[in-house]
Amino acid sequence: MALRKVKGNLERMFDKNLTDLVRGIRNNKDNEGKYIAQCMDEIKAELRQENFAVKANAVAKLTYLQMLGYDISWAGFNIVEVMSSSKFTYKRIGYLAASQCFHQDTEVVMLTTNMIRKDLNGQNMYDAGTALTGLACFISADLARDLANDVMTLLSSTKPYLRKKAVLLLYKVFLKFPEALRPAFPRLKEKLEDPDPGVQSAAVNVICELARKNPKNYLSLAPVFFKLMTSSTNNWMLIKIIKLFGALTPLEPRLGKKLIEPLTNLIHSTSAMSLLYECINTVIAVLISISSGMPNHNASIQLCVQKLRILIEDSDQNLKYLGLLAMGRILGPHPKAVQPHKDLVLACLDDKDESIRIRALDLLYGMVSKKTVMEIVRRLMTHMDRAEGTFYRDELLQKIIQICSQNNYQYITNFEWYISVLVELCRMESSQHGALIAAQLMDVAIRVGAVREFTVGQMALLLENAHLLLGPAAANSSIAEVLFAAAWICGEFAHLLPNARNTLEAIVRGRLWSVAGHIQAVIVHNLVKLFIRIVVTAEEEDDADMINEVTALLEERLATWSSSADLEVQERAVFALQLVCLVRDKRAAGLKLGPELALLTAGELNPVAPKAQKKVPVPDGLDLDAWMNAPPSESEGSGDEDLLSGGDLFFRSEEPPSPSVGRKNRKAQHISEEDIMQRRAARLQEQANNPYYMKTTSNRSSTRSSPKTSLANLNVDEIPMQAIELDVPLTIPGMTSLSKYEMVDGDGDNKKLRHKKSKKRSKRKNLALSSSEEEEAPAPLVINTDAEMPEGAIVSDDDDRDNRPLDDPHRALDIDLDSPLSPTEVLPVLHHREAPAAPKLKRSSKPASSTVDAAKSKTKKDKSRKSKKKEKNGDLLGSEQKEMALDIGASVTDSKPKPYANGVDGKKTHDDIEFWLSTSDPVEQPPEAEPENAPAAADATQKSKATKKSSKEPKKEKKSKETSKKVSKKSSRKSELNLPLVDGAPSSDLRTPEGVDRRDYEVANGHHASNATPDRHKLLAEDSAVAVSWRARPAADGLKQIRLSLSFSVSSQLSDSMTDIRLVRLHLPDTSSLALTRVNATSSDIDLERALLSPGAPVKKALTVEVQDATVPHKLRGALYYSLNGGSERVLPLKFEVSVLCCLSGAGASREAFSELVSSGALTARSAFTTSCPDISFEQLLRVLCGDGSFGVVERVQNTASLYAASLSGHHVCLLTKLKDSGGVCVDGKASDGTLLANALDVLRAALTAAP
Amino acid sequence: MQFMLLFSRQGKLRLQKWYVAHPDKAKKKITRELITTILARKPKMSSFLEWRDLKIVYKRYASLYFCCAIDQEDNELLTLEVIHRYVELLDKYFGSVCELDIIFNFEKAYFMLDELVVGGEVCETSKKNVLKAIAAQDLLQEHIP
């Protein structure tokens, strides 16, 4: 043995250690791969040895290689081996390697559970520390579940070093094993008051992280954190606390009001930039959450803006960047406060750092006004000229367009200027946003009629100079898209063209063959429109030469297009060519086609809302899912699916963005005048009857007078459309002349001149405006923002309920932390895997009872600290509630309750926070103001409002009258506690959604659940003599009780009907969560008085059971003792499965109350399932779901129904159930408590699956 | 904090610590991407960049870049503080730290980081305490043959 050791050590001397490896790699730069392959072989050999030192060395080297990017996953087992070494040196290396290369899915992680547990509980503090840090990196769901309890134990370690790390690790545990959160949370909360600042800070960190993801659960901790914030000087912790408040304030505006003062103080006093920045961010969040009514509101904003200005002016780029970022956040809600700092932001545009420039651009977007838009855009354009790098240039271009087009051109007073800007933008080098410019050009041309002529002129010029756009640089840019818009605008509004023929020639002669197919297609199509226009005018002027020339030109050029490779171009070109030939032939025959041709392009255009097409309802009788033709064979299926699915059913997504353009009354066929009139009349009639058809109501005289206008006008009132109507013509005579903005021909001098002019103009304008009120500025342009939508359709944004990704682990942490713990909710404790069958309750009862015992003894010993500790008892000790209730009553009177103590039933916690918040500024919030504030507050307020109705008013009055707040607090608390527990007076727990008396609903609502469902007892147990059936319903009097009705009858298996059966007693011991109300409180037996059981006459017994937590299912075991023919007692074991449905009552929900509840936002938990029940009718389905009256039907429409239930604990559960034709059942639930909902749905699903 | 990377001006990774699990492939890709992005930035630029849905905070000390990825809501300046604290610690421990110290004692650099940050959250803000813990552990290590 000794020899072997010596040998091992000797061998080791020749091994490479880590340093050698690193050195070796550095020396073998040229053939690193080969060297490392060699090292890997050595390492593999070393790992095979038994000497731990050698193994550890090998693992250390592997860790290094892993960093260099080599795969070491094969060594997982060796790493575990090294981790398990008893020597700290090696253990440390093992854990390091594990934390670097293990992750939750690594298989060997499963082997580590017991080893890590040993380390965590080990004597050496650093062993445990190493294990904790390592675990933080590779914890898996299994490890989290198995080790949660050990980590919890470390929370009470005597060493702050371990407590601190354990607290931080808890966060990871929660993420992987959300069930641990509720049981662990009270302990975590205690750590907020840990004597060691490091532990305290760690606890703040963890709670802050948790709260940021699910803030509403942590609102009740606000007072604790507030105290910490005002007392602590640790900046690290302060930042976290302030961040936490930033997450909480949106939920509770009153909290924000309370925060403003300390935060402003901090902003004034602190020298730490990180703290300052965090404070400003939270103040901004507060200001956003408080809509109005803050007296020193403006002062806080000003302070923030000032401080941010200092940051932005700082030479440190980081501060500048963050300053701009935060400034952007203020800009949203308070643009006025930021606007004065425009100079600063504009200065940032010159910064060297691109990210800073882009931040500044973001800010500018919100800073423009009618007065400043021209100047800002001008500056941006000069920047664009100078900008290096296409990315930034594109960013600038996009921002310019965003700035100008925001809110439907809200800030644009002069559209000619804007068109000029767009044209100018086309000429910027290598723009990726050609399509964007094109869309803007078309949008403005269509929607702003007054500027149309100008636009058309500009576009014509653009087409004539198309070669400038299509230079060599255009190859990798999308600027050619502009030609799409230009051609379309010129064609569509050809009547506005100064010289249609010139434009046509320019297009035809231009080198436009190189542009993309879809652009060419549009060009060809618009050539037709131009051609028609030319023919029509020429005929009016009798200019036959003109027609002939144009015809000849087109014939020649269209031929080229008609051989295009692009199918669309080709088709359109051929069509156009035929039309041109037709015109030529007819004209040759001496016919005049002008009026008929004009009809081809008649009609007005209106903007259509981007979503309009999708919102067109499917007409009755049209089944979009049905095949129109026989379905294609399987092999073609895949391609068609793409077409059918998704929202692009009606429009092509590659087309330029909104607004798409709807056209009507356009005929592509060449038919006789009479025919046209006839068909048009018929179609208009049809359209008039079709509410979804887009119609023209343009009451301004259209340049294209067409016969159908009179017809359309008949129905003008019913037509749901808006045209662009401008109260004031955009062209201000004498003020804007084309020459001022005409900037197409790219000659430099002209451009500069133009810039100067526009500058002067804007200056003049500014001067004029500053002397008068802004309101007196030229009457605002009305740009009708409404686009056409189908009747009844609303432009809505789709749901933004929860934007966390589905796999976000934080979703699972959306757990109600205020409701008391049920005894079943404990962390899993050490158990051997060999005995998985051990009943769950038994397993978990061990730590619960120990904690309980500890807590109990403390309660007795330590009277002064009772109020806090005792509540914990309340959480854990269901069966001793009676005794406890008295305790509370007593203790409240002699001990001052801490404001942040945890509530007995969640309600109290809310009261605490309510109280804490309401005491913040009694002057500001007189009692009368309360009802107004209350609706704004969270669900909690609403909930407790009804409860406190009686107690609140006197409380408030007292508060305002008496100076001693404590007295009123004490008394109110006392009365509240007494209500449900001692007095036995009707508690508020079973409130109907609005706190109105339930009976009102029952009368009003015909759908009372119990009418619908029969009173059924379920068979519970049966032996050869006796059968027991049972039923559990919430007790009627609204306590936290359920009524168990038992029915004992003669078993059907009993052969001799003359048997004398006597029921002796029922043995039903209380469990920790279920407590029976008994006559004889000391015994767990219930005397059945030897009742005689005879066939057909069942014996009934009703029991009242107190339920501690109505959101989880419970089990109750017992036994029935009876005797046969006077013989010895026989036992029939009973096992009650008290599901959550037993605690639900569907009685009492009206449709109004239901919809209000659903829309109130109080129902935060959501869950759903679908299952298939082939042959079930909807009636059967409802019967199953409503079960024993646990749900009531609120509303039913065909095969859809809304169900409602109130739980004993005051929670609401709403279900929407649908029976699909295919037999699938879909149940969608919302509730005010997630656990309850999940459990309820589980039961329902099981019931549905079991249903016939 | 989601992860921390240390790399040299030549783009060589010197240390990596991941607080959120990623497959090895993804880690390599992220590392490569970030190293190129950050090395391409000019010295006068701010230390922050937005990357995917994270914020990257980096700082250069001599030839080494320290780079952290944080959530959107996290405080950039605080992260810079953490980085600085870490550098200070390394400096104290190694005595004017240089890149080679970290290359040859990379496990020590990890141990130090583990004392400072656990699971992505700052664990100990006191330099003294961290150094004390490290020293105690070193002592423990040396006493065992």
Side-chain angles (χ1 to χ4, degrees):
Chain A
M1 180 68 200
L3 187 71
R4 215 162 120 199
K5 206 170 176 182
V6 170
K7 198 179 154 215
N9 284 342
L10 264 178
E11 271 172 2
R12 228 200 126 192
M13 283 172 66
F14 302 106
D15 287 340
K16 273 197 199 87
N17 63 17
L18 183 60
T19 321
D20 297 331
L21 174 83
V22 176
R23 203 164 282 146
I25 293 176
R26 290 170 72 82
N27 291 337
N28 287 280
K29 278 201 173 109
D30 302 330
N31 49 356
E32 194 185 287
K34 204 174 142 197
Y35 180 77
I36 286 174
Q38 185 197 332
C39 290
M40 281 282 192
D41 288 339
E42 285 170 21
I43 289 169
K44 279 178 189 165
E46 284 167 22
L47 286 175
R48 277 193 289 272
Q49 295 196 27
E50 284 187 20
N51 189 326
F52 261 111
V54 178
K55 270 190 187 156
N57 184 39
V59 165
K61 288 194 278 184
L62 278 179
T63 316
Y64 188 80
L65 293 178
Q66 192 261 351
M67 186 173 67
L68 296 182
Y70 293 89
D71 178 33
I72 63 158
S73 52
W74 52 268
F77 189 76
N78 303 103
I79 293 172
V80 175
E81 258 185 314
V82 175
M83 282 162 82
S84 69
S85 159
S86 56
K87 290 179 185 167
F88 179 69
T89 318
Y90 309 144
K91 187 183 287 298
R92 204 180 182 191
I93 290 172
Y95 271 102
L96 173 64
S99 66
Q100 288 305 102
C101 73
F102 285 5
H103 49 89
Q104 50 182 344
D105 302 321
T106 310
E107 280 173 8
V108 284
V109 163
M110 284 187 297
L111 303 173
T112 57
T113 315
N114 279 315
M115 183 186 79
I116 296 175
R117 176 174 293 137
K118 215 179 89 204
D119 287 339
L120 288 178
N121 300 327
Q123 287 303 302
N124 184 346
M125 163 169 104
Y126 293 110
D127 276 359
T130 310
L132 284 172
T133 16
L135 203 51
C137 289
F138 59 81
I139 193 161
S140 66
D142 284 340
L143 279 180
R145 189 194 58 226
D146 296 340
L147 295 175
N149 203 51
D150 302 272
V151 178
M152 287 290 285
T153 322
L154 283 180
L155 285 187
S156 38
S157 155
T158 50
K159 296 158 186 128
Y161 178 80
L162 290 182
R163 287 208 300 274
K164 188 171 67 186
K165 291 198 168 188
V167 167
L168 286 176
L169 182 60
L170 267 187
Y171 178 58
K172 295 276 169 182
V173 171
F174 295 152
L175 285 183
K176 299 287 181 201
F177 181 58
E179 289 86 342
L181 178 56
R182 272 172 55 81
F185 194 68
R187 300 282 297 284
L188 180 60
K189 219 158 55 177
E190 283 170 22
K191 294 294 146 202
L192 286 177
E193 285 155 44
D194 197 278
D196 183 81
V199 181
Q200 204 180 19
S201 163
V204 170
N205 269 350
V206 171
I207 294 181
C208 172
E209 287 304 309
L210 290 168
R212 266 161 55 180
K213 300 295 167 34
N214 308 299
K216 67 174 188 323
N217 290 338
Y218 304 89
L219 206 51
S220 56
L221 289 178
V224 194
F225 281 111
F226 192 80
K227 203 179 108 203
L228 276 178
M229 182 176 83
T230 42
S231 59
S232 169
T233 50
N234 178 352
N235 280 355
W236 298 81
M237 195 164 89
L238 274 178
I239 288 176
K240 286 284 176 182
I241 295 175
I242 289 165
K243 191 182 286 296
L244 173 98
F245 278 128
L248 293 183
T249 39
L251 301 177
E252 180 54 271
R254 285 178 291 169
L255 176 63
K257 289 186 183 176
K258 223 177 152 78
L259 282 173
I260 284 281
E261 201 200 323
L263 284 181
T264 19
N265 289 344
L266 270 176
I267 291 178
H268 276 300
S269 62
T270 186
S271 59
M273 280 301 173
S274 46
L275 181 58
L276 174 70
Y277 179 61
E278 200 58 56
C279 287
I280 291 178
N281 269 339
T282 298
V283 169
I284 294 170
V286 168
L287 292 177
I288 291 172
S289 71
I290 307 173
S291 46
S292 61
M294 269 290 284
N296 49 356
H297 197 86
N298 274 326
S300 321
I301 301 173
Q302 283 309 326
L303 178 67
C304 286
V305 173
Q306 266 169 29
K307 287 282 175 183
L308 287 178
R309 192 178 167 105
I310 295 172
L311 287 188
I312 296 173
E313 280 170 342
D314 199 287
S315 59
D316 184 345
Q317 298 286 59
N318 294 338
L319 297 184
K320 201 185 276 271
Y321 177 89
L322 294 179
L324 288 169
L325 203 66
M327 200 69 118
R329 277 184 215 130
I330 301 190
L331 187 67
H334 303 285
K336 287 235 168 71
V338 185
Q339 266 158 8
H341 303 279
K342 201 181 70 198
D343 55 318
L344 194 63
V345 177
L346 282 171
C348 287
L349 283 179
D350 294 318
D351 199 278
K352 283 187 197 121
D353 187 350
E354 194 171 282
S355 43
I356 287 182
R357 291 199 301 257
I358 288 174
R359 288 278 150 250
L361 274 180
D362 285 344
L363 264 180
L364 271 184
Y365 171 76
M367 291 176 97
V368 289
S369 64
K370 279 183 181 159
K371 283 187 269 180
T372 54
V373 67
M374 282 194 173
E375 195 206 335
I376 288 180
V377 168
R378 186 182 54 77
R379 293 195 60 163
L380 291 181
M381 297 206 25
T382 41
H383 271 284
M384 234 176 122
D385 267 342
R386 283 187 276 137
E388 293 162 20
T390 49
F391 173 74
Y392 181 56
R393 199 191 296 266
D394 282 342
E395 196 72 21
L396 271 169
L397 192 152
Q398 200 181 3
K399 269 284 148 14
I400 291 176
I401 289 184
Q402 271 179 13
I403 285 173
C404 292
S405 64
Q406 61 179 311
N407 287 337
N408 275 293
Y409 311 103
Q410 186 190 350
Y411 299 118
I412 306 279
T413 48
N414 185 338
F415 275 92
E416 287 190 15
W417 165 81
Y418 183 45
I419 291 290
S420 312
V421 167
L422 289 173
V423 172
E424 183 81 351
L425 287 178
C426 299
R427 295 158 10 83
M428 293 289 176
E429 267 171 52
S430 109
S431 156
Q432 293 304 309
H433 293 296
L436 190 62
I437 303 176
Q440 284 290 299
L441 284 169
M442 287 169 71
D443 198 31
V444 174
I446 294 165
R447 296 172 62 175
V448 190
V451 82
R452 210 172 273 162
E453 191 168 344
F454 177 76
T455 314
V456 171
Q458 294 292 306
M459 292 303 107
L461 285 171
L462 202 64
L463 283 171
E464 282 165 27
N465 297 293
H467 57 277
L468 292 176
L469 290 178
L470 301 173
N476 48 9
S477 92
S478 62
I479 200 65
E481 292 286 340
V482 175
L483 293 177
F484 178 101
W488 186 86
I489 291 170
C490 286
E492 186 59 32
F493 307 111
H495 56 281
L496 298 173
L497 272 176
N499 188 338
R501 186 180 162 184
N502 278 358
T503 310
L504 184 127
E505 283 181 6
I507 297 175
V508 171
R509 299 224 159 87
R511 290 178 294 157
L512 300 178
W513 328 106
S514 57
V515 297
H518 69 281
I519 303 176
Q520 286 189 46
V522 166
I523 289 173
V524 170
H525 192 74
N526 284 287
L527 279 178
V528 177
K529 294 189 208 163
L530 283 173
F531 172 69
I532 291 170
R533 176 70 199 165
I534 292 169
V535 171
V536 171
T537 41
E539 275 188 357
E540 279 167 13
E541 291 162 13
D542 249 347
D543 189 352
D545 290 348
M546 164 94 103
I547 296 175
N548 292 339
E549 281 167 34
V550 170
T551 315
L553 182 69
L554 276 182
E555 265 185 72
E556 179 197 334
R557 297 290 169 144
L558 283 173
T560 332
W561 261 310
S562 47
S563 57
S564 164
D566 191 295
L567 213 60
E568 181 79 16
V569 178
Q570 197 187 68
E571 190 186 341
R572 292 195 190 210
V574 170
F575 173 77
L577 194 58
Q578 290 309 312
L579 187 72
V580 172
C581 293
L582 185 80
V583 172
R584 184 196 60 200
D585 296 346
K586 292 281 174 192
R587 281 195 55 82
L591 282 172
K592 289 208 171 187
L593 292 166
E596 284 168 36
L597 280 175
L599 285 173
L600 286 179
T601 58
E604 267 286 316
L605 289 170
N606 291 310
V608 177
K611 287 182 181 170
Q613 191 81 68
K614 276 194 230 167
K615 299 267 178 178
V616 175
V618 178
D620 283 341
L622 174 62
D623 183 3
L624 287 175
D625 292 330
W627 290 101
M628 285 190 196
N629 303 310
S633 62
E634 290 288 305
S635 56
E636 293 169 44
S638 60
D640 287 348
E641 269 166 33
D642 295 340
L643 271 174
L644 285 171
S645 63
D648 286 356
L649 201 57
F650 296 107
F651 62 95
R652 280 192 13 234
S653 52
E654 72 255 30
E655 274 175 359
S658 69
S660 50
V661 171
R663 174 185 294 280
K664 61 171 216 148
N665 301 334
R666 186 53 77 79
K667 299 209 79 180
Q669 292 148 299
H670 195 65
I671 38 172
S672 76
E673 180 82 314
E674 196 190 333
D675 232 337
I676 291 173
M677 290 301 289
Q678 226 170 22
R679 289 196 194 180
R680 182 176 297 126
R683 195 175 57 246
L684 280 172
Q685 187 59 43
E686 190 188 292
Q687 284 165 12
N689 294 335
N690 183 353
Y692 308 120
Y693 206 89
M694 293 162 285
K695 298 175 182 90
T696 316
T697 50
S698 170
N699 33 16
R700 289 187 301 116
S701 63
S702 157
T703 32
R704 279 176 196 165
S705 58
S706 51
K708 52 107 218 292
T709 346
S710 56
L711 262 172
N713 281 345
L714 289 177
N715 302 316
V716 140
D717 297 340
E718 300 138 39
I719 297 171
M721 67 80 57
Q722 290 84 18
I724 304 252
E725 286 169 45
L726 300 170
D727 287 351
V728 179
L730 270 173
T731 35
I732 305 157
M735 205 172 156
T736 328
S737 72
L738 283 179
S739 63
K740 263 190 180 161
Y741 285 113
E742 203 165 20
M743 40 163 58
V744 164
D745 282 324
D747 102 26
D749 297 19
N750 224 344
K751 207 167 90 191
K752 267 183 200 156
L753 198 72
R754 245 180 280 120
H755 275 311
K756 264 186 201 158
K757 274 187 181 170
S758 66
K759 198 177 169 186
K760 259 190 207 160
R761 242 183 105 260
S762 60
K763 263 189 190 161
R764 222 189 310 137
K765 217 172 164 188
N766 280 350
L767 272 175
L769 284 174
S770 54
S771 60
S772 63
E773 289 290 322
E774 203 184 343
E775 279 74 26
E776 289 170 35
L781 298 167
V782 181
I783 298 164
N784 208 329
T785 58
D786 300 315
E788 294 195 351
M789 284 294 279
E791 210 168 54
I794 304 153
V795 184
S796 61
D797 288 317
D798 291 318
D799 53 341
D800 46 3
R801 248 179 281 117
D802 193 346
N803 47 14
R804 283 178 288 181
L806 274 172
D807 56 347
D808 189 337
H810 297 286
R811 272 174 172 265
L813 289 179
D814 223 340
I815 298 168
D816 182 10
L817 292 171
D818 289 329
S819 57
L821 288 172
S822 83
T824 50
E825 278 185 286
V826 283
L827 292 169
V829 195
L830 277 168
H831 59 270
H832 289 289
R833 288 205 176 262
E834 296 89 273
K840 206 180 167 190
L841 263 172
K842 229 175 180 176
R843 225 198 289 152
S844 51
S845 65
K846 201 169 134 198
S849 57
S850 63
T851 329
V852 166
D853 289 341
K856 223 195 312 185
S857 58
K858 251 185 193 164
T859 322
K860 278 175 188 159
K861 276 182 203 160
D862 192 353
K863 274 236 166 186
S864 63
R865 284 170 63 196
K866 196 180 262 167
S867 69
K868 203 178 155 205
K869 292 288 173 197
K870 155 221 69 220
E871 278 148 16
K872 229 165 82 204
N873 282 355
D875 292 343
L876 298 162
L877 280 171
S879 51
E880 289 169 46
Q881 207 188 16
K882 288 268 140 98
E883 175 201 320
M884 218 192 66
L886 293 169
D887 263 10
I888 294 172
S891 68
V892 167
T893 44
D894 59 26
S895 73
K896 185 183 125 200
K898 290 191 182 180
Y900 45 82
N902 190 17
V904 167
D905 55 1
K907 209 170 63 222
K908 203 179 126 200
T909 334
H910 289 306
D911 292 347
D912 283 331
I913 175 100
E914 288 288 299
F915 183 80
W916 180 71
L917 286 168
S918 58
T919 48
S920 62
D921 32 25
V923 191
E924 237 187 1
Q925 279 185 300
E928 297 84 52
E930 184 65 17
E932 285 160 36
N933 289 337
D939 157 40
T941 331
Q942 199 188 354
K943 243 174 141 186
S944 49
K945 217 167 92 185
T947 338
K948 294 197 284 184
K949 240 179 186 168
S950 54
S951 60
K952 200 159 205 168
E953 250 81 80
K955 178 175 146 191
K956 282 276 171 191
E957 269 175 36
K958 252 185 217 167
K959 208 195 294 171
S960 54
K961 279 176 196 165
E962 296 175 16
T963 38
S964 161
K965 284 171 195 164
K966 282 175 195 165
V967 176
S968 73
K969 190 169 153 195
K970 232 186 262 172
S971 63
S972 69
R973 184 173 303 276
K974 190 175 159 193
S975 64
E976 274 159 37
L977 284 170
N978 284 346
L979 259 180
L981 296 173
V982 182
D983 288 359
S987 118
S988 55
D989 282 326
L990 264 178
R991 252 169 295 116
T992 43
E994 303 202 271
V996 186
D997 194 332
R998 164 173 299 171
R999 263 146 299 196
D1000 297 347
Y1001 284 110
E1002 288 183 13
V1003 178
N1005 185 355
H1007 292 290
H1008 192 313
S1010 57
N1011 304 347
T1013 50
D1015 244 10
R1016 281 180 306 180
H1017 279 65
K1018 277 181 289 183
L1019 186 65
L1020 178 69
E1022 186 175 24
D1023 64 6
S1024 59
V1026 182
V1028 183
S1029 55
W1030 74 301
R1031 174 172 190 251
R1033 296 302 307 136
D1037 52 4
L1039 289 169
K1040 270 193 155 185
Q1041 288 174 342
I1042 55 173
R1043 189 170 289 277
L1044 280 182
S1045 25
L1046 298 177
S1047 166
F1048 307 97
S1049 55
V1050 179
S1051 166
S1052 54
Q1053 298 164 17
L1054 190 68
S1055 46
D1056 182 6
S1057 60
M1058 292 312 289
T1059 319
D1060 177 31
I1061 307 174
R1062 298 265 172 190
L1063 303 174
V1064 182
R1065 62 197 165 92
L1066 193 61
H1067 177 75
L1068 266 184
D1070 290 351
T1071 71
S1072 46
S1073 53
L1074 297 176
L1076 264 67
T1077 311
R1078 302 166 196 277
V1079 184
N1080 180 359
T1082 51
S1083 161
S1084 52
D1085 285 358
I1086 294 155
D1087 194 0
L1088 295 174
E1089 299 160 332
R1090 298 192 71 81
L1092 174 70
L1093 200 61
S1094 50
V1099 173
K1100 302 217 168 172
K1101 180 82 191 166
L1103 302 165
T1104 315
V1105 182
E1106 191 107 27
V1107 185
Q1108 187 67 26
D1109 183 352
T1111 62
V1112 290
H1114 300 284
K1115 278 185 190 139
L1116 188 61
R1117 284 165 198 277
L1120 171 70
Y1121 292 85
Y1122 64 94
S1123 63
L1124 282 183
N1125 295 330
S1128 62
E1129 278 186 8
R1130 296 175 62 167
V1131 189
L1132 173 64
L1134 305 173
K1135 187 177 154 197
F1136 300 87
E1137 305 248 4
V1138 184
S1139 78
V1140 286
L1141 293 189
C1142 301
C1143 309
L1144 290 179
S1145 166
S1150 74
R1151 196 177 297 177
E1152 290 78 14
F1154 182 84
S1155 57
E1156 200 158 322
L1157 184 69
V1158 169
S1159 58
S1160 70
L1163 305 178
T1164 47
R1166 282 180 67 95
S1167 184
F1169 70 83
T1170 33
T1171 177
S1172 77
C1173 299
D1175 299 307
I1176 199 167
S1177 76
F1178 195 65
E1179 275 72 21
Q1180 284 171 313
L1181 171 69
L1182 280 188
R1183 219 170 296 143
V1184 173
L1185 287 181
C1186 295
D1188 214 356
S1190 42
F1191 280 92
V1193 180
V1194 177
E1195 189 175 11
R1196 183 186 157 182
V1197 181
Q1198 289 175 333
N1199 279 355
T1200 306
S1202 308
L1203 309 179
Y1204 169 79
S1207 143
L1208 283 182
S1209 44
H1211 291 297
H1212 309 290
V1213 184
C1214 297
L1215 298 183
L1216 179 69
T1217 170
K1218 278 182 206 160
L1219 178 64
K1220 296 179 192 148
D1221 292 339
S1222 53
V1225 175
C1226 166
V1227 178
D1228 196 340
K1230 273 187 165 190
S1232 46
D1233 181 78
T1235 326
L1236 173 64
L1237 180 64
N1239 284 323
L1241 287 187
D1242 281 350
V1243 180
L1244 290 181
R1245 193 213 302 257
L1248 280 177
T1249 338
Chain B
M1 198 191 291
Q2 300 239 348
F3 56 85
M4 188 188 221
L5 302 174
L6 250 76
F7 52 89
S8 70
R9 222 171 54 190
Q10 289 78 32
K12 282 232 172 12
L13 192 62
R14 293 300 177 210
L15 190 141
Q16 54 171 350
K17 190 86 194 174
W18 301 79
Y19 298 109
V20 172
H22 292 279
D24 278 349
K25 243 189 182 160
K27 282 187 193 173
K28 273 188 207 165
K29 191 162 169 269
I30 294 171
T31 315
R32 222 178 308 123
E33 212 177 308
L34 281 179
I35 291 180
T36 10
T37 323
I38 291 174
L39 287 179
R41 285 173 70 89
K42 298 191 184 83
K44 269 281 171 187
M45 289 183 161
S46 70
S47 298
F48 316 124
L49 53 132
E50 276 171 25
W51 178 81
R52 301 196 190 170
D53 56 344
L54 299 176
K55 292 194 287 198
I56 305 292
V57 178
Y58 71 92
K59 192 155 172 74
R60 187 179 151 178
Y61 289 88
S63 61
L64 267 187
Y65 285 86
F66 290 71
C67 156
C68 291
I70 53 172
D71 280 332
Q72 279 300 330
E73 307 89 14
D74 281 326
N75 189 323
E76 293 95 335
L77 293 172
L78 192 69
T79 314
L80 276 181
E81 295 272 342
V82 176
I83 294 179
H84 188 71
R85 184 60 48 104
Y86 183 45
V87 174
E88 281 178 333
L89 282 170
L90 290 172
D91 202 55
K92 275 250 169 67
Y93 183 75
F94 290 112
S96 74
V97 67
C98 69
E99 198 182 334
L100 281 181
D101 288 325
I102 295 176
I103 296 173
F104 282 105
N105 299 289
F106 87 116
E107 82 275 20
K108 302 271 185 210
Y110 277 120
F111 295 148
M112 189 86 72
L113 185 58
D114 282 344
E115 291 299 325
L116 184 66
V117 179
V118 171
E121 292 298 321
V122 177
C123 172
E124 178 58 70
T125 52
S126 146
K127 273 180 276 183
K128 214 176 74 193
N129 284 353
V130 173
L131 289 171
K132 229 162 66 189
I134 290 284
Q137 291 178 51
D138 283 349
L139 207 66
L140 206 60
Q141 182 165 337
E142 278 158 15
H143 272 232
I144 296 169

